Amino acid sequence: MRTLITNIGELSTCTAAGIIHDAAVLIEDGRVAWVGRAEEASTATETIDAGGRAMIPGFVDSHSHIVFGGDRAAEFEARMAGQKYAAGGIRSTVTATRAASDDELRTRVRGFIDEMLAQGTTTVEIKSGYGLDVDTEERLVRLAAEVTDEVTFLGAHVVPSEYVDAPDAYVDLVIGPMLDACAAHSRWIDVFCETGAFSVAQSRRVLEAGIARGLAPRVHASQLGPGDGVRMAVELGAASIDHGTYLTDSDVAALAASDTVLTLLPGVEFSTRQPYPDARRLIDAGVTVALACDTNPGSSFTSSMPFCVAVAVRDMGMTPAEALWAATAGGAAALRRDDVGVIAPGARADLVLLDAPSHVHLSYRPGVPLIGRVWKDGVLVAGRS
């Protein structure tokens, strides 16, 4: 079937074509077959009138941790009362996740997927990291693979309590039996390279082991302070370095000279009260920037990409157009994808119709539910038919 969505007031393609006014999109077999001015569109089996509203690509959320058990609302409350954020709360989620059944975790992750779709997210990456033992990490990547192709093995999230006095032995477990159990369900290997988590040397061991097993690297780095993790990740060809709250000039130069994406996570700074990264500095230096939610129970329990876009514009120096690109095409770049995050012939027909005349309203009207309809692979999956 050929479906034509026409009378689109503003179409943000997130490609070199930029914005097309009075536009139309033709969908065929789940892909975008044609994009252009509505007056130039051909006929179709089905025609949908967009009513002059704006259309954007589906959001690409390239960093999430949505397979977990438990809740950390008390930790958030304490942080809002002045307690400083530290990554140690991850271990409490590990305890709850190990105790949860597959069905409990499956129900929860599918609930998050529905929540994300309703907010315009059509592609999501999911990390493990709340098991930290062989059996639970395998369960997490296997369950994640039921809902996305973008699964990341993050056994090196933090050192679990039972290995706190033997971190190198835990790394041995991660790159041995744990990787053996998880590699078949995963596309990516990740590590939290940070003081209090894993050193640069330990992180390199994890990433190189994953690469040897055919997994592509991505890295958590420079969230809590500056370090050498960014340059190590660039050297290893990481697709994305995530957080980057504390970057040195040499970090920025290394990123700008590479094809590694710097994925910023505004929800984390909002929730932890850490300083926001300076996206303007990064973009002006030539760094490719993505935006993601980092949905997790501790440091960023939001699944709203529109919220992250608004925060990035308000507090990180991005223009509305830059933030939208970072949340769509930028996220796709962080996943080494060119078939999502854009509205262009050949791309997947992952489309979002806004209840607004322009993409600017995503940041102009923060907190307002502007996601009208969502198509994934050309099928309406959220909103009114």
Side-chain angles (χ1 to χ4, degrees), residues 47-66:
T47 299
I48 298 171
D49 188 339
R53 290 173 288 176
M55 177 171 281
I56 63 173
F59 294 116
V60 179
D61 189 342
S62 60
H63 185 130
S64 85
H65 305 252
I66 58 174

Side-chain angles (χ1 to χ4, degrees), residues 285-333:
V287 177
T288 301
V289 174
L291 291 174
C293 286
D294 192 8
T295 310
N296 75 84
S299 62
S300 181
F301 204 10
T302 180
S303 59
S304 174
M305 289 291 277
F307 168 77
C308 291
V309 166
V311 173
V313 172
R314 167 64 177 79
D315 291 304
M316 293 165 55
M318 302 181 85
T319 68
E322 288 169 341
L324 175 62
W325 188 93
T328 53

